[in-house]
Amino acid sequence: MTTRASLRSFQEEIDTIHHKETAKQRVQAQQLAEREAVKKPICSKESKDSTDMGVPSAEQVHPQHADFDDDGELQTFLITNTESDYEKARDAIAARLTRNRGEYIIRLGAHPSKSSIFNVENKESLDAAFGIECNESDFKVVESTLLRIAEEIGAKVSTLFTATTPKLHGSYLARLPPAGVNLTAEVRCAVVGNVDSGKSTTLGVLTRGGLDDGRGRARVGLFRHKHEIETGRTSSVGMEILGFGADGLPILPTTHFSNEMETIRREKLGWDEISKQSAKIVSFIDLAGHERYLKTTLYGLTSGSPSLVMLMVAANAGLIGMSKEHLAIALALSVPVVVCITKIDMTPPNILAETVKQVVKILKSPGCRKTPVFVRNMETAAELSQVFAHERLCPIFQLSNITGEGLDFLRTFLNLLPSSEGDDEKFVADQPLEYSVTEVWSVPYVGTVVNGILNAGRVKVGDPILIGPDSNGNFMSSAIKSIQRKRHFSRAPVNSAEAGQCVSFALKRMRRTAIRKGMVIVIKSELPPKAIRRFEGTVLILYHNTTLQKNYQAMLHCGAIRQTVRIISIDHPQGILRTGDRAVVQFEFISNPEFIKEGMKLLFREGKTKGLGVVTKLL
């Protein structure tokens, strides 16, 4: 087990272990739920309540798969515009909106293959052209029919793009306004990059609407501390949101054209107001770029379950410093990556060309194995948003926060991303409750409040729960007093939540000091989950300047868990590990036992030492 292993093959292996163990655990949980159901049948009223609260059934929750034959059939119905075909088209659009969480992209005309749109080779899954050829008059008929259908079913239809080459074609976004805040779609996006790469400025321009003046006007509204405003550098984990309405337009404050710094900070649109107007919200986790804050950045990437990582690269500096570190972490966690090359307005053409060449070379390297795709038009942005995560594509946006170049393409891309809660590989609603605690605080007149991600299952106000493990490995009994959806930008209470959502719980009869980050909340049962002190994992040492041996201690990141671990045994003939070595290692938590499962990915680091692995056995 100590042979030298390439990062590429090791990542494939831990992904295989992760998927295998996850599938096994889901089957076991389903069997356990069936046995419990036999003992205690679920009452029909509870099932009905779940439906009334707007929680979609398992049959309704599917990621959007491009079914181009159906789109061609839909186009025929829309063009003929007879009464029967009109009803078929209306029913088909309504069904697809229901199946795809209130959002569907309608493609009309003869579309070229995605490989030609993206200008990539050796991608057989993207080589097929699709759609039915139509003329300009047919397009006008289809547009008017779509608007009529949308009005009938309560949806909004917006034009994403139309193109005439090689043949006339276009795409339209149909979107239903959410019934409430608890049903607003959310996309979680982590923003990383080196110091001075333009992270906060880009987020300021995206979320506030106004362009930058080259001296930090756009980012001043994001900073929370005086020293951040003075230095221009983020020192804390910031949260920003970008809302999109049902019509696909971004929700921006009315003062975004102001040049007054105080006006920008004071008159920004409140998050409550944004959430009320939005049909989809992109939540940005603005992570620090400085090396001294890497521990915080790591925790934000592992605990926040982002759908993608937006890596900022300054065009005048290139992919340097912590940018490479952040990219390596995102790849290790198998999170899709989007690259934004900023400051293109101030960078000489030859320097920009060198930066682009460097980024492309790194993305194509054996460690990354990504296919770079430059986004230069709306069609590429729209089509890429649906397939980039599964096809190992890496979108590259070239941005200027002063001239606005490339920002519309990035907004369109973000607007069309599938929601985080719709990821069936990560989150399954038809499983026992599992909630990871990422933040804890005490609120006056409310009590102890926790924030985190619902990894599995559903929960309602009043449900009895167990939270833990504590320092002794025990789980404490409590109940859900109230639930708030999207704690960061809306204080509107909701009655229920389901897998994939970021929610806050107010807990009954629970002290703030009894709860810590990394704990889990599960449904109350006769058999509480087992807390783990020791476990076994297969690891690959990415870097260490000397040797790793027994009793070595490092900071472990595993989901929402962040704790120091000690190596208690190494399956190696010499009992030591060097850079590039792979081995089965037994770890022990130093402070508290934790709730972990086989198949969970882990990262550990101490100083410049870095390791990647997967939990294979609980001891």
Side-chain angles (χ1 to χ4, degrees):
M1 293 296 294
T2 58
T3 57
R4 294 269 176 175
S6 70
L7 178 60
R8 175 176 177 176
S9 62
F10 186 72
Q11 283 179 320
E12 290 174 349
E13 184 173 337
I14 65 174
D15 281 337
T16 302
I17 294 172
H18 172 72
H19 292 310
K20 179 182 175 181
E21 292 294 339
T22 301
K24 185 170 75 174
Q25 289 159 12
R26 288 177 180 177
V27 170
Q28 291 172 348
Q30 191 68 33
Q31 292 172 346
L32 181 62
E34 289 173 359
R35 287 198 295 269
E36 291 290 332
V38 172
K39 297 177 184 176
K40 184 181 178 182
I42 299 172
C43 101
S44 59
K45 181 179 183 299
E46 182 180 326
S47 179
K48 182 178 183 299
D49 287 345
S50 170
T51 307
D52 291 343
M53 286 173 190
V55 179
S57 64
E59 291 76 21
Q60 292 175 326
V61 181
H62 292 291
Q64 175 171 324
H65 297 291
D67 194 342
F68 303 127
D69 292 338
D70 280 357
D71 270 353
E73 190 177 359
L74 175 62
Q75 178 178 317
T76 304
F77 293 151
L78 291 168
I79 291 174
T80 55
N81 208 16
T82 63
E83 192 63 33
S84 61
D85 285 349
Y86 176 83
E87 290 180 1
K88 290 177 183 176
R90 182 190 60 201
D91 294 344
I93 291 173
R96 293 176 198 186
L97 284 171
T98 302
R99 190 169 63 242
N100 294 299
R101 293 180 174 266
E103 184 174 303
Y104 188 71
I105 296 176
I106 302 169
R107 297 172 176 85
L108 303 175
H111 287 249
S113 67
K114 284 188 170 62
S115 57
S116 63
I117 296 172
F118 303 155
N119 194 24
V120 298
E121 299 176 354
N122 303 321
K123 287 281 185 182
E124 294 181 5
S125 56
L126 303 176
D127 284 342
F130 54 91
I132 300 175
E133 190 173 346
C134 65
N135 55 39
E136 194 171 342
S137 61
D138 289 340
F139 245 70
K140 291 181 180 178
V141 171
V142 168
E143 284 182 344
S144 61
T145 307
L146 274 177
L147 291 173
R148 183 180 158 199
I149 289 174
E151 189 175 351
E152 284 190 17
I153 63 178
K156 298 281 187 180
V157 172
S158 56
T159 303
L160 296 176
F161 70 88
T162 54
T164 56
T165 55
K167 294 178 181 178
L168 183 63
H169 62 282
S171 290
Y172 300 83
L173 173 65
R175 180 177 281 167
L176 286 169
V181 176
N182 62 316
L183 296 178
T184 304
E186 180 187 16
V187 179
R188 291 185 289 275
C189 174
V191 183
V192 297
N194 199 49
V195 177
D196 298 332
S197 60
K199 297 184 295 298
S200 296
T201 299
T202 302
L203 289 188
V205 172
L206 284 174
T207 59
R208 303 293 192 269
L211 295 176
D212 191 44
D213 61 355
R215 294 185 298 275
R217 181 176 79 92
R219 71 189 179 206
V220 72
L222 275 65
F223 289 149
R224 297 186 292 175
H225 306 292
K226 184 181 178 182
H227 69 269
E228 291 181 330
I229 299 172
E230 292 171 350
T231 62
R233 292 184 176 179
T234 305
S235 63
S236 57
V237 175
M239 283 294 301
E240 288 299 319
I241 62 167
L242 172 61
F244 291 96
D247 56 3
L249 296 176
I251 309 297
L252 300 173
T254 55
T255 58
H256 63 268
F257 294 112
S258 174
N259 290 318
E260 294 292 330
M261 295 289 187
E262 285 303 316
T263 303
I264 295 170
R265 285 181 59 82
R266 185 179 64 252
E267 302 296 335
K268 63 183 182 180
L269 196 62
W271 289 0
D272 288 356
E273 188 62 31
I274 293 174
S275 63
K276 289 176 184 175
Q277 299 180 35
S278 300
K280 175 182 277 186
I281 290 178
V282 182
S283 299
F284 295 106
I285 310 169
D286 186 11
L287 299 172
H290 200 282
E291 186 175 3
R292 73 177 67 172
Y293 307 119
L294 181 59
K295 186 173 74 169
T296 303
T297 300
L298 257 174
Y299 185 71
L301 286 172
T302 55
S303 66
S305 294
S307 295
L308 74 156
V309 166
M310 203 153 71
L311 177 66
M312 298 293 182
V313 178
N316 59 343
L319 198 59
I320 59 171
M322 296 307 296
S323 294
K324 293 181 179 180
E325 186 92 13
H326 295 157
L327 176 60
I329 294 167
L331 293 169
L333 297 172
S334 301
V335 182
V337 178
V338 174
V339 175
C340 295
I341 300 177
T342 61
K343 305 183 182 182
I344 62 171
D345 55 280
M346 63 173 286
T347 307
N350 62 318
I351 303 298
L352 176 60
E354 288 180 13
T355 299
V356 169
K357 183 179 178 181
Q358 179 201 23
V359 169
V360 169
K361 182 180 178 181
I362 290 176
L363 291 175
K364 287 183 175 180
S365 65
C368 291
R369 293 179 297 124
K370 297 279 188 182
T371 303
V373 179
F374 289 90
V375 182
R376 296 189 174 97
N377 54 59
M378 285 296 183
E379 182 174 9
T380 305
E383 297 296 347
L384 199 56
S385 66
Q386 304 301 302
V387 299
F388 83 104
H390 304 291
E391 297 290 343
R392 298 195 65 84
L393 302 175
C394 181
I396 300 177
F397 295 87
Q398 297 186 53
L399 309 177
S400 169
N401 294 317
I402 294 178
T403 66
E405 184 179 346
L407 291 172
D408 287 340
F409 303 149
L410 181 57
R411 281 198 184 100
T412 298
F413 177 83
L414 295 170
N415 178 32
L416 300 177
L417 287 171
S419 64
S420 297
E421 54 260 39
D423 188 345
D424 290 345
E425 289 186 8
K426 282 186 181 178
F427 310 110
V428 182
D430 297 326
Q431 291 284 310
L433 172 67
E434 183 187 317
Y435 173 92
S436 298
V437 176
T438 58
E439 290 182 84
V440 191
W441 62 97
S442 182
V443 179
Y445 308 108
V446 175
T448 302
V449 176
V450 296
N451 184 68
I453 306 290
L454 204 58
N455 297 318
R458 297 186 176 98
V459 67
K460 302 191 299 296
V461 173
D463 281 354
I465 54 99
L466 295 173
I467 183 168
D470 60 15
S471 57
N472 297 319
N474 300 320
F475 282 75
M476 301 164 284
S477 178
S478 183
I480 305 296
K481 188 191 298 184
S482 63
I483 304 174
Q484 286 189 359
R485 175 84 166 97
K486 298 181 176 70
R487 189 272 300 177
H488 292 289
F489 50 83
S490 175
R491 296 181 179 85
V494 296
N495 293 321
S496 66
E498 68 162 3
Q501 294 181 340
C502 178
V503 292
S504 297
F505 297 148
L507 302 178
K508 290 182 180 178
R509 303 179 304 277
M510 188 59 59
R511 283 183 165 186
R512 159 69 183 87
T513 53
I515 302 177
R516 58 181 172 79
K517 295 179 181 179
M519 281 186 169
V520 295
I521 291 177
V522 296
I523 204 71
K524 193 171 185 178
S525 62
E526 296 177 359
L527 293 174
K530 184 182 177 183
I532 302 300
R533 174 74 71 172
R534 295 184 174 189
F535 64 94
E536 192 172 270
T538 301
V539 300
L540 173 68
I541 308 304
L542 302 177
Y543 177 78
H544 187 54
N545 52 8
T546 55
T547 58
L548 279 172
Q549 53 191 332
K550 187 178 176 182
N551 291 323
Y552 181 83
Q553 295 186 7
M555 180 64 71
L556 177 87
H557 293 265
C558 185
I561 297 168
R562 182 176 68 180
Q563 190 183 153
T564 305
V565 293
R566 179 172 65 92
I567 294 177
I568 56 177
S569 75
I570 299 175
D571 185 6
H572 189 284
Q574 298 177 351
I576 58 173
L577 295 175
R578 294 184 176 89
T579 299
D581 281 342
R582 171 183 162 181
V584 174
V585 178
Q586 289 187 3
F587 295 96
E588 180 182 44
F589 288 112
I590 296 293
S591 303
N592 304 292
E594 300 283 5
F595 175 81
I596 59 172
K597 298 186 293 186
E598 294 173 345
M600 292 179 71
K601 294 180 182 179
L602 58 90
L603 282 168
F604 61 92
R605 65 169 283 119
E606 182 62 37
K608 292 187 176 182
T609 301
K610 291 182 287 291
L612 166 68
V614 62
V615 179
T616 54
K617 187 178 180 182
L618 306 179
L619 303 177

